Amino acid sequence: MVVPTVNVFRMSFYTWSGFSPDMRFVGLDNFTALLDDAQFVRAFQNTVALLVVVTVVTMGMGLFLAAVMTRQRLRGRTLYRFVLYVPSVLSVVVIAAIFSAVFDQENGLINGTLRALSLDGLRQVWLGDQDLVLWSVAIAMVWQSLGYYMVLYMAGMASIPEDVYEASALDGASPVRQFFAITLPLIWQNLRTTLTFFVMSAVNLSFVLVRAMTGGGPDGSSEVLLSYMYKQAYTNSSYGYGMAIGVVIFAFSFLVSLLVSRATRREPLQF
């Protein structure tokens, strides 16, 4: 892992097509060019938007569903857990194919349902509208990840002794109060670890879904950092420039991980 990583940094200082034997050292010119590259800036903004929205929604819904499945006596909750977990074991390319069909303009599930309900005015070109395509990708990312993190949180919540909840209930604590005062603090280390892991995996997940669902279109409106790097390095034969984008992704991922780790640091609680 060390040698390829170092090589990414090294190649970012060169201009190279990736195939020609001719390599020219350009120093920081590739990084300077990034600052004036509107498509790179847009890809960076899209990546940040997806990370924020998908992380907040997935973690929030995962915690909520885990609490409901663990604390509430639902009939058939094993079935619910299975149904929610299934997407996490599917190939990301399969998920991209599923949501390409769901968002299909003519025969997709969403537009087909709206047509059946005589709501044709609400039909959209989900993957062809620059204002909607990124959020369509975000929905697919949430659907793929939600069940996996829900199961992780359920495992953490199941380890909390029942008598802790019983004692708080005798003191008049509501289920909501129990969640924020007992459940969340006691699984905080679990949440902290999964949050860092999810942010890193979401960067890769967004690339695969964008590549398979939209190709970065329309007009770059769904482009993310990894897909833009791939295009520059392997489609446009700008390997050195693509590796400069790779360095930015590496630094960005490291910085986000550091910020998440620092922001969520707290003294672990024990029961």
Side-chain angles (χ1 to χ4, degrees):
M1 292 181 62
V2 173
V3 173
T5 302
V6 171
N7 202 42
V8 168
F9 281 82
R10 184 179 68 86
M11 292 307 305
S12 67
F13 297 114
Y14 287 84
T15 293
W16 185 40
S17 67
F19 302 99
S20 169
D22 299 325
M23 296 173 56
R24 183 166 60 90
F25 182 80
V26 293
L28 297 176
D29 287 358
N30 286 330
F31 296 96
T32 303
L34 288 177
L35 300 177
D36 298 323
D37 188 343
Q39 291 183 331
F40 167 77
V41 173
R42 190 173 192 180
F44 184 84
Q45 292 172 339
N46 289 343
T47 301
V48 173
L50 281 176
L51 281 180
V52 172
V53 173
V54 174
T55 300
V56 171
V57 174
T58 303
M59 298 294 103
M61 291 184 64
L63 283 169
F64 171 76
L65 291 173
V68 171
M69 296 287 186
T70 305
R71 299 297 309 150
Q72 303 299 319
R73 298 186 180 278
L74 294 178
R75 178 178 298 177
R77 65 178 179 179
T78 302
L79 176 62
Y80 299 148
R81 181 171 59 182
F82 171 76
V83 170
L84 289 168
Y85 185 74
V86 165
S88 66
V89 300
L90 295 177
S91 166
V92 179
V93 178
V94 172
I95 291 172
I98 291 173
F99 276 90
S100 294
V102 168
F103 292 124
D104 184 77
Q105 179 180 353
E106 297 297 331
N107 303 311
L109 177 63
I110 297 178
N111 283 349
T113 302
L114 293 174
R115 185 191 301 115
L117 296 175
S118 300
L119 298 174
D120 293 84
L122 298 179
R123 296 173 63 197
Q124 303 289 337
V125 186
W126 301 99
L127 298 181
D129 189 319
Q130 294 190 29
D131 296 327
L132 296 176
V133 62
L134 194 65
W135 310 118
S136 300
V137 173
I139 291 172
M141 290 178 66
V142 171
W143 190 78
Q144 192 275 340
S145 305
L146 179 59
Y148 177 76
Y149 289 92
M150 179 198 71
V151 170
L152 289 181
Y153 296 143
M154 286 181 65
M157 293 177 186
S159 66
I160 302 176
E162 184 64 28
D163 55 6
V164 177
Y165 291 103
E166 292 175 354
S168 65
L170 292 175
D171 290 335
S174 66
V176 175
R177 177 63 175 170
Q178 288 177 336
F179 175 79
F180 286 102
I182 299 175
T183 305
L184 199 57
L186 290 178
I187 66 166
W188 188 259
Q189 293 303 312
N190 185 2
L191 175 62
R192 184 186 182 201
T193 302
T194 55
L195 181 59
T196 303
F197 176 75
F198 179 77
V199 169
M200 295 302 95
S201 62
V203 174
N204 296 318
L205 177 62
S206 64
F207 162 66
V208 181
L209 286 175
V210 165
R211 183 73 181 169
M213 289 176 65
T214 69
D219 194 27
S221 54
S222 63
E223 200 81 81
V224 292
L225 284 176
L226 276 176
S227 63
Y228 189 58
M229 184 197 82
Y230 183 88
K231 285 183 177 179
Q232 292 299 320
Y234 301 107
T235 303
N236 296 342
S237 296
S238 300
Y239 194 83
Y241 191 66
M243 293 305 100
I245 300 173
V247 171
V248 172
I249 295 172
F250 180 89
F252 173 73
S253 301
F254 180 81
L255 180 61
V256 171
S257 298
L258 182 62
L259 290 175
V260 169
S261 179
R262 292 290 180 87
T264 57
R265 181 187 299 172
R266 63 169 60 181
E267 195 70 26
L269 298 179
Q270 297 180 350
F271 44 79

